[in-house]
Amino acid sequence: MRHSIKLYILTAVVCIIALAIVQFFLIYNTYQLLDSRFNYVEKGRIGEAYNLAIANDKLFPGGQPLLDSIIVPQYPYLEQLYHTNPKSFDTAAQRLVNRIIRELVQHENTDSMLKAIKASDGIKDSLLFALCIHRLDLRFKDSPYVNIYNRFKKYPLIPASRQKDIGLYICGNLQQLSENSSASSLVANSPLPYSYSLSFSFYADPYNRRTLVLQQMKYTILPGLLTLLAVITLFGITLFKWIRQKHLSDMKSDFINNITHEFNTPITAIIVANKNIQNEKTLENKQSVTALSEIIHRQAERLKLLVEKVINIAATEKLALRITTTDLNELISGILAVYSLNTMKQAIRFNFHSSGDPAMIETDTFHFTTLLQNILDNAVKYNDQVQKEITITTRQLKDTVELIIQDNGIGMNSITLRHIFEKFYRHQPHLSKPTKGLGLGLYYVKQCIDAHGWTIKVTSEPGAGSTFIITIPSKI
């Protein structure tokens, strides 16, 4: 049954995880689609203003004079290399591109230009921007344009761009560049014999672009998340109720099995007492007959109670208690008298040290009897001594009574101590004789203790016996 529960939980968890993954990919793909189609409404105005700002310039205000001062002096040298040594031309061209980038990065004023555009156009959004060069060509006398940089190529001497296929990053704080974030893309060239052609783009996006895209997806995200949450919640509630119901059902079955097992005690006592009564010598002793008759009467009553308890437990989910005020010492004495009779053929010595004065407690005598008998059964069962010895002590404290049961059995290790009150758990020591049982005795003891609101403590060491200490509120 435990394996089936684990399999059910594992299967449900895997299905929920699979559903979550499917939901994630659906939302992610929707986000990617909307992000690729996202179009900033102010981008057109920004692009127009940018084009006006560099109408007679390149890249940014003052960009063309800077480029001219770098490129124009290099024309004769580069032209000679182009015609005589193509390999050296490529190296020189790459070094020229690197120098252009360094100078542009050092002297760019794009940020101040963008602030002026926003102020003049009344744009109050916080913007991210970027300025990139895509292509650079040189033109010599009597020759077509010669490409010295192309964003789709890799160059040994030119550092790779931040983003693939974007180009040379000049300035800005916009990291992810795409076509729909481009505010302006220009190609500047000249028909003069010695000139250069420059392709570049200016990108602009709101800083909260991701938030804006997610806002567009709110009617996709919210239903998906709510559906997933509902599935997880329903699974949790169903699993909790199922486990709780199973626990209650198991508890009921365990109690029935345990109490049914206890039928053997009164039946054995009745059989033994009846056999003794049939003895001629016993019949001659009126006092012995009376004592044996009382034992038969008490055990018959106990048998009747057992039947009633089985019926009650089968009809209820809780351990029902019938509380009465009882003298603990008298109750234990009666239990020991019957138990001694049932185990008279075994070498067991019982020592009972009472507190002297009556120790009045509130308890269900039936369940208490079963509780104590279960502890005594374990003390006898897990004992390899020739002379088994069990000592029961009651000690009156201020507001409580302590019931202490000690034995000289085989004892328990720390692992066993952690599990002795678990249902179906059975200690498997090396004994001269195999032990029988359902592993329900001490589980039932713990249920009785909890139902009464008492506490129980167990101390034990292998080979040194065990001690059970039950603390019971006294009724003074």
Side-chain angles (χ1 to χ4, degrees):
M1 181 61 73
R2 289 183 180 179
H3 292 298
S4 64
I5 291 177
K6 289 182 179 178
L7 181 61
Y8 168 80
I9 294 174
L10 180 62
T11 304
V13 169
V14 169
C15 291
I16 289 174
I17 292 174
L19 178 62
I21 292 173
V22 171
Q23 289 274 24
F24 171 78
F25 277 107
L26 286 175
I27 292 173
Y28 178 76
N29 289 334
T30 303
Y31 174 83
Q32 292 288 85
L33 179 63
L34 292 177
D35 184 62
S36 65
R37 294 180 177 179
F38 179 80
N39 189 24
Y40 179 47
V41 293
E42 303 290 354
K43 188 176 64 176
R45 293 169 57 194
I46 294 173
E48 292 178 3
Y50 172 77
N51 292 340
L52 289 175
I54 61 165
N56 298 311
D57 223 319
K58 294 182 178 69
L59 294 171
F60 51 81
Q64 181 170 337
L66 181 61
L67 289 170
D68 291 346
S69 67
I70 300 170
I71 297 174
V72 171
Q74 299 296 319
Y75 278 137
Y77 173 66
L78 291 172
E79 184 178 24
Q80 181 184 0
L81 290 178
Y82 176 71
H83 292 295
T84 60
N85 193 340
K87 186 174 181 180
S88 296
F89 172 78
D90 289 339
T91 301
Q94 291 179 54
R95 288 174 178 169
L96 175 63
V97 171
N98 280 332
R99 183 186 171 192
I100 290 172
I101 298 304
R102 287 197 304 270
E103 294 293 331
L104 289 174
V105 170
Q106 183 178 355
H107 295 89
E108 64 87 16
N109 55 11
T110 313
D111 188 46
S112 57
M113 177 191 68
L114 182 60
K115 288 180 180 178
I117 291 174
K118 288 173 62 180
S120 62
D121 284 49
I123 299 173
K124 297 182 179 180
D125 297 337
S126 297
L127 298 178
L128 301 176
F129 71 94
L131 183 61
C132 295
I133 294 176
H134 303 316
R135 183 185 178 96
L136 179 60
D137 299 310
L138 297 181
R139 184 177 182 182
F140 305 117
K141 185 178 180 181
D142 300 328
S143 68
Y145 278 106
V146 178
N147 178 246
I148 62 172
Y149 174 76
N150 188 327
R151 62 175 171 170
F152 300 111
K153 294 182 181 180
K154 292 183 179 180
Y155 300 88
L157 302 181
I158 301 176
S161 60
R162 295 186 186 182
Q163 189 174 330
K164 185 180 178 182
D165 299 339
I166 288 300
L168 299 171
Y169 201 94
I170 305 300
C171 60
N173 50 14
L174 180 61
Q175 301 298 323
Q176 294 298 321
L177 308 181
S178 61
E179 292 299 325
N180 67 342
S181 62
S182 174
S184 176
S185 293
L186 299 173
V187 177
N189 53 33
S190 172
L192 298 177
Y194 291 96
S195 62
Y196 57 91
S197 174
L198 184 67
S199 173
F200 57 95
S201 292
F202 178 70
Y203 299 87
D205 246 355
Y207 82 99
N208 59 340
R209 173 192 177 117
R210 181 174 298 177
T211 303
L212 295 175
V213 174
L214 290 175
Q215 284 179 352
Q216 295 179 10
M217 295 175 58
K218 60 184 177 182
Y219 295 113
T220 302
I221 296 175
L222 287 178
L225 292 179
L226 290 175
T227 301
L228 184 60
L229 181 62
V231 170
I232 295 173
T233 303
L234 289 174
F235 166 71
I237 293 173
T238 303
L239 180 63
F240 173 77
K241 289 187 175 181
W242 182 31
I243 292 176
R244 183 172 177 271
Q245 194 64 35
K246 181 183 177 302
H247 174 71
L248 293 174
S249 177
D250 289 347
M251 218 164 97
K252 183 192 297 182
S253 299
D254 293 344
F255 286 146
I256 293 172
N257 291 336
N258 188 73
I259 292 174
T260 303
H261 176 70
E262 294 302 320
F263 275 111
N264 184 60
T265 301
I267 290 173
T268 302
I270 291 172
I271 292 172
V272 172
N274 183 65
K275 187 176 181 181
N276 287 334
I277 287 177
Q278 293 175 355
N279 190 301
E280 291 183 2
K281 292 182 179 181
T282 304
L283 288 172
E284 294 174 359
N285 189 333
K286 216 173 194 185
Q287 189 175 358
S288 296
V289 172
T290 302
L292 291 171
S293 177
E294 288 179 356
I295 289 175
I296 292 174
H297 175 72
R298 284 200 304 268
Q299 294 310 307
E301 289 294 327
R302 176 167 174 76
L303 199 57
K304 179 182 177 183
L305 282 173
L306 279 169
V307 174
E308 291 179 358
K309 292 295 180 181
V310 170
I311 295 172
N312 289 338
I313 292 171
T316 181
E317 294 181 347
K318 295 183 179 180
L319 185 62
L321 299 180
R322 191 176 296 173
I323 300 296
T324 58
T325 302
T326 309
D327 182 357
L328 179 62
N329 295 325
E330 288 186 3
L331 183 58
I332 293 173
S333 296
I335 295 170
L336 287 179
V338 175
Y339 199 88
S340 300
L341 180 64
N342 292 337
T343 58
M344 60 187 305
K345 292 183 180 180
Q346 302 182 50
I348 306 173
R349 184 171 70 185
F350 292 96
N351 303 311
F352 178 39
H353 305 296
S354 69
S355 58
D357 298 329
M360 305 306 294
I361 63 169
E362 291 186 338
T363 184
D364 183 312
T365 56
F366 168 80
H367 286 300
F368 181 86
T369 301
T370 306
L371 176 155
L372 185 57
Q373 286 181 347
N374 282 338
I375 296 177
L376 295 177
D377 284 344
N378 275 18
V380 173
K381 187 188 302 181
Y382 297 103
N383 197 322
D384 259 347
Q385 300 290 342
V386 176
Q387 177 69 47
K388 300 178 176 63
E389 187 170 344
I390 300 174
T391 302
I392 300 177
T393 306
T394 59
R395 185 166 56 189
Q396 183 76 54
L397 302 179
K398 184 178 179 181
D399 298 318
T400 59
V401 178
E402 279 190 348
L403 171 59
I404 305 168
I405 305 107
Q406 296 173 290
D407 64 64
N408 64 339
I410 62 171
M412 297 176 281
N413 57 30
S414 58
I415 297 175
T416 302
L417 283 173
R418 286 200 298 269
H419 299 285
I420 56 171
F421 294 121
E422 294 179 5
K423 59 182 176 180
F424 303 123
Y425 179 80
R426 295 192 65 224
H427 185 33
Q428 299 293 343
H430 298 289
L431 290 168
S432 58
K433 294 181 180 180
T435 61
K436 296 181 180 180
L438 300 173
L440 295 173
L442 291 181
Y443 172 70
Y444 178 79
V445 167
K446 187 64 167 65
Q447 297 302 312
C448 291
I449 293 292
D450 292 342
H452 281 86
W454 301 345
T455 60
I456 186 169
K457 179 181 178 183
V458 185
T459 59
S460 183
E461 290 183 9
S466 303
T467 302
F468 289 74
I469 303 173
I470 302 174
T471 303
I472 307 169
S474 59
K475 182 71 173 176
I476 302 175

